[in-house]
Amino acid sequence: MEGNLDKIGEMLKDLARGKLDDISSFISPVVKHQYNDNKVDCYHLKVDANGRPRLTELIKYMSLKITDYAIPRSKVQAALSKLAQTGSTEEFTRLTLEARKLFTKLEQSGEGGELLLFALTESILKYPQILCKMNLKTDEQVHFHGADGVFLGVDDDGMLSVFWGESKLHADHSSALAECVESIASILKMESEIDSDIRLIDFIDLDNEQLENAIKEYFDFNSPNYDKLKSCAVCLVGFDHVSYKFDPVKKLTNEDLKAKVEHSFNTHWKKNLERKLAENNIQFCKVIFFYLPVQSVDNFRSTFRKELGLA
């Protein structure tokens, strides 16, 4: 398998969990934009037949992903084996409880956004998470410093692309975007303080030793395969938007939401994004953005914490 990127790419794609249909009940695409190698997929949160944003449903969907997100694949596979042998889901229950305990109770936690980024990247882009940083935490009540996720895929240009994840949820679009771009710029430019993120590759867990060893070759600067490794990023930018504001005269519809969000993207957000990428000298790196304006990021956080029993 070593050096066979086509085979590695197919195996990685097969490891990605979820599909677009799973999440399309809660979010809807608005606009796609490309700037050099950077891509933006902008979504809005859907509303139901009564004009109510489907935030609670999205959070419930996300909560079902906590074990996949936080627990290494080898442990999940061991639980599957035990289920096959005994017919008992005891081990799965234990893993779910373990995953829940890894989330912090801090009110301003960004872990809900990190979990959503994981769900979007695996289900839409088909780039699997290759290690569980949550499982490496030494204290459940603190955040894990560094990238918010590590994903991997073989790109169209025949390179093995590692996607460093970054999620920012702020009330204001500009501050969310600025912090997000600045964070990923330090990683993409390989600044010294992110050495710890590179070393995390030692903890890769795909429950396939042959695949893991083949992938690690590309992260070894002494290997000829190192030339075929490309550092990229995948980001979630979430922020408050007035499009969800209650109107006592007219019921909120998905058509109205799409039009309002599209207008904001084309007149403001797109220019901000391109400027920030250029200011940080990563306008020619590959960065994939998920934009998700919501009614309130504070409400997103509190709803997530309540769903997981953290509040």
Side-chain angles (χ1 to χ4, degrees):
M1 186 191 302
E2 183 180 332
N4 189 340
L5 276 179
D6 288 339
K7 186 174 182 179
I8 290 174
E10 287 302 315
M11 294 178 74
L12 288 171
K13 193 178 295 184
D14 289 342
L15 286 171
R17 293 156 291 197
K19 53 185 184 298
L20 179 59
D21 290 348
D22 296 339
I23 204 167
S24 61
S25 296
F26 319 113
I27 63 172
S28 182
V30 175
V31 62
K32 290 180 179 289
H33 174 62
Q34 183 149 355
Y35 172 60
N36 297 324
D37 284 338
N38 299 284
K39 297 179 181 180
V40 188
D41 283 353
C42 182
Y43 292 83
H44 70 78
L45 191 61
K46 281 186 173 181
V47 294
D48 62 19
N50 294 318
R52 182 185 63 87
R54 290 179 170 167
L55 177 64
T56 300
E57 293 92 329
L58 175 63
I59 297 295
K60 287 184 179 296
Y61 165 79
M62 288 166 50
S63 70
L64 298 176
K65 296 283 186 179
I66 63 171
T67 305
D68 285 344
Y69 171 61
I71 303 298
R73 289 176 187 265
S74 57
K75 288 188 176 183
V76 174
Q77 187 58 46
L80 278 170
S81 297
K82 189 167 184 178
L83 173 62
Q85 292 168 8
T86 67
S88 171
T89 59
E90 175 184 335
E91 191 65 14
F92 274 114
T93 302
R94 187 185 69 78
L95 290 182
T96 300
L97 293 174
E98 181 182 327
R100 191 184 297 265
K101 285 178 62 178
L102 290 171
F103 287 85
T104 177
K105 293 182 179 180
L106 297 173
E107 290 187 6
Q108 293 303 307
S109 169
E111 289 176 346
E114 295 163 19
L115 176 60
L116 180 55
L117 174 63
F118 160 80
L120 293 169
T121 303
E122 288 219 347
S123 62
I124 296 176
L125 300 179
K126 293 300 181 184
Y127 297 142
Q129 176 179 259
I130 60 171
L131 58 89
C132 298
K133 293 186 70 174
M134 292 282 284
N135 193 64
L136 301 176
K137 287 170 68 171
T138 56
D139 183 344
E140 294 88 355
Q141 298 312 311
V142 297
H143 291 105
F144 200 110
H145 299 295
D148 292 337
V150 187
F151 307 88
L152 201 63
V154 175
D155 223 335
D156 296 337
D157 55 6
M159 302 282 282
L160 183 67
S161 299
V162 54
F163 287 86
W164 304 100
E166 188 68 36
S167 167
K168 292 297 179 187
L169 303 177
H170 285 213
D172 176 67
H173 162 263
S174 294
S175 63
L177 176 65
E179 277 200 24
C180 182
V181 173
E182 288 166 11
S183 293
I184 60 169
S186 65
I187 297 176
L188 293 177
K189 291 188 284 188
M190 303 296 286
E191 294 178 357
S192 59
E193 59 267 26
I194 58 89
D195 281 349
S196 58
D197 281 304
I198 299 297
R199 289 197 298 270
L200 283 176
I201 299 302
D202 289 338
F203 296 96
I204 186 172
D205 188 331
L206 299 173
D207 194 42
N208 184 324
E209 186 176 0
Q210 184 183 10
L211 177 59
E212 291 165 11
N213 289 335
I215 287 169
K216 287 178 182 178
E217 279 287 313
Y218 291 83
F219 287 86
D220 180 359
F221 64 86
N222 288 316
S223 166
N225 287 332
Y226 187 72
D227 287 340
K228 297 178 182 177
L229 178 69
K230 181 166 69 172
S231 194
C232 309
V234 58
C235 306
L236 171 67
V237 181
F239 47 91
D240 297 357
H241 195 249
V242 295
S243 59
Y244 297 92
K245 186 177 180 181
F246 175 73
D247 186 339
V249 178
K250 183 181 179 183
K251 181 175 69 175
L252 187 61
T253 68
N254 288 314
E255 290 75 17
D256 290 338
L257 269 173
K258 180 175 182 179
K260 292 175 181 178
V261 170
E262 185 173 12
H263 175 75
S264 293
F265 183 88
N266 288 328
T267 56
H268 301 294
W269 304 341
K270 179 171 64 175
K271 296 174 185 176
N272 272 354
L273 174 66
E274 294 179 358
R275 183 173 67 251
K276 282 297 176 186
L277 289 168
E279 286 175 359
N280 286 274
N281 298 316
I282 57 170
Q283 67 270 42
F284 298 112
C285 297
K286 181 167 185 176
V287 185
I288 299 174
F289 290 90
F290 292 110
Y291 262 46
L292 184 64
V294 294
Q295 188 174 17
S296 164
V297 294
D298 284 342
N299 190 32
F300 177 95
R301 287 194 187 96
S302 63
T303 303
F304 176 73
R305 291 173 61 242
K306 288 176 183 176
E307 181 64 28
L308 262 62
L310 302 171

